Amino acid sequence: MMPISPAQSWAIILVVAATTAAIRFLPFWVFHSSTPRVILYLGKVLPGAVMAMLVVYCLKDLDPLAADHGLPQILGVAMVALLHKWKHNTLLSIAGGTVFYMMLIQTLFAG
Amino acid sequence: MRKKTVRYAFRASLPVMAGYLVLGMGFGVLLQGQGYGWWWAAAMSLLIYAGSMQYLAVDLLAGGAGLITAALMTLVVNFRHLFYGVTMLEPYRGMGKAKPYVIFALTDETFSLVCQPDLPQGVDRKEYYFWLSLMNQSYWILGSVAGTLLGSALGEYTRGIEFSMTALFVVIFLGQWEGTRDHRPALIGLGVSVLFLLLLGPDGFLIPSMGGITLALLALKRFPVRKEGE
């Protein structure tokens, strides 16, 4: 079962698609000669800040008072960080951390 | 000449192929988990074609997000692409009919390959840009469709696969942290969003965080990093 209607789904998908395309096309439309310095500045500093925000977003439902104390997520993130430090291989870190997390919640923390 | 160019583009695209097939599959499994069939994955990978944002879009769909939230989130998450466009203004000049497509398909990975191409003799630069962009998107579409099929085959065993989104962002975050000396933007992002999360709770903190982060970064612009020998 889809969580929302197909029409609502299309609306969200098209908004995300149009916004993404607009960002990609904008420089070619308006910045022919020079790019405003504030835009260049934001382009440099936003990615790091936004990625931090997205990590927080992913962990937003983590509840230290829940039955599992949020341990599966905390351990999963630790595993991702360890794998990253070890091999610096993006796919290995993502796959390894995810499988580790899945094993945790399907076995140790099941139910 | 075209044959040589296509072959060269294909070889250059191989590392992206591995990444896009796997990450695309992760996205497909997630989307399928919300009850969307393979054609939805194909449509999203065809129309949106932005990795991180498609993972987040699954969340937006699952929560029935408002359109303004969707637009703002896309804006801050994909803002970095503006930078790619600025870099590619010159190289993409004179691309002709393929120009709209190569601009549309300028993802992180494609950018990393087209920003400094070291092309051998006999490889046409513009054709190379086009074929590389097209191949990369094909991998992404293929991976995401395969993911939905994999997801429906695995059923219950995919429980917890949503953690792949967390893992993806943690890895990108760590990579960015290691790649920059000035950690203030990352700390601002972390601090502001944790603050709003504690103040407003998990359902309402995102938009205020995006605003707060942007304002804090603009304020930070007044305090440039001192250039000095370390």
Side-chain angles (χ1 to χ4, degrees):
Chain A
M1 264 300 281
M2 282 159 54
I4 51 179
S5 75
Q8 283 174 296
S9 306
W10 273 116
I12 291 178
I13 291 169
L14 290 178
V15 164
V16 173
T19 311
T20 304
I23 294 168
R24 286 178 180 158
F25 276 94
L26 197 68
F28 295 87
W29 288 333
V30 296
F31 303 149
H32 290 298
S33 46
S34 71
T35 310
R37 281 179 55 192
V38 66
I39 298 285
L40 287 177
Y41 168 75
L42 280 180
K44 211 172 63 186
V45 293
L46 253 186
V50 167
M51 217 35 79
M53 179 192 84
L54 292 179
V55 171
V56 174
Y57 174 78
C58 288
L59 299 173
K60 68 182 188 305
D61 295 315
L62 193 147
D63 181 5
L65 302 176
D68 62 12
H69 305 293
L71 271 175
Q73 272 131 317
I74 294 168
L75 294 173
V77 169
M79 177 60 93
V80 173
L82 275 175
L83 287 171
H84 178 78
K85 279 281 156 207
W86 181 43
K87 287 283 185 188
H88 278 98
N89 180 324
T90 304
L91 289 182
L92 175 79
S93 310
I94 294 174
T98 305
V99 169
F100 179 63
Y101 174 84
M102 290 168 73
M103 279 169 27
L104 284 180
I105 67 160
Q106 291 185 24
T107 56
L108 245 115
F109 294 90
Chain B
M1 177 140 148
R2 166 168 288 181
K3 207 167 152 197
K4 185 169 180 186
T5 303
V6 173
R7 208 182 303 143
Y8 187 79
F10 177 66
R11 231 179 299 145
S13 77
L14 284 176
V16 177
M17 182 201 268
Y20 273 13
L21 286 177
V22 174
L23 289 177
M25 270 197 237
F27 159 73
V29 173
L30 279 186
L31 189 68
Q32 196 274 335
Q34 294 297 332
Y36 290 87
W38 67 268
W39 61 93
W40 285 98
M44 287 175 77
S45 293
L46 193 70
L47 297 172
I48 302 176
Y49 189 32
S52 311
M53 199 52 225
Q54 280 181 232
Y55 273 75
L56 288 166
V58 177
D59 246 42
L60 295 177
L61 292 169
L67 298 183
I68 299 198
T69 306
L72 285 176
M73 192 141 178
T74 312
L75 187 66
V76 296
V77 171
N78 284 339
F79 198 83
R80 63 188 189 285
H81 290 239
L82 261 177
F83 221 48
Y84 304 160
V86 171
T87 311
M88 296 311 289
L89 276 175
E90 265 317 304
Y92 279 177
R93 214 174 276 277
M95 281 294 293
K97 270 186 289 184
K99 191 169 180 179
Y101 179 69
V102 293
I103 295 173
F104 162 80
L106 197 51
T107 59
D108 300 286
E109 286 74 9
T110 302
F111 175 72
S112 72
L113 292 177
V114 295
C115 65
Q116 284 169 322
D118 187 16
L119 301 179
Q121 283 274 310
V123 172
D124 183 78
R125 202 171 48 87
K126 288 168 192 159
E127 292 246 336
Y128 168 77
Y129 289 148
F130 171 71
W131 286 106
L132 187 67
S133 304
L134 189 67
M135 287 174 192
N136 286 351
Q137 189 175 13
S138 317
Y139 307 146
W140 180 249
I141 296 174
L142 214 66
S144 56
V145 169
T148 58
L149 304 178
L150 186 73
S152 55
L154 287 177
E156 256 302 284
Y157 293 106
T158 61
R159 214 158 67 78
I161 191 98
E162 70 278 1
F163 190 78
S164 57
M165 179 161 88
T166 311
L168 172 71
F169 294 146
V170 169
V171 169
I172 300 176
F173 175 77
L174 291 175
Q176 282 176 346
W177 181 278
E178 291 162 344
T180 49
R181 283 226 204 119
D182 185 7
H183 297 314
R184 292 175 306 174
L187 293 173
I188 284 177
L190 201 62
V192 171
S193 36
V194 168
L195 180 73
F196 279 115
L197 175 62
L198 294 176
L199 284 176
L200 304 171
D203 294 327
F205 85 107
L206 198 61
I207 289 183
S209 298
M210 293 191 283
I213 287 169
T214 310
L215 288 179
L217 288 175
L218 289 175
L220 181 72
K221 191 169 183 288
R222 294 167 170 273
F223 303 97
V225 188
R226 271 179 297 158
K227 298 221 167 63
E228 56 187 346
E230 288 197 337

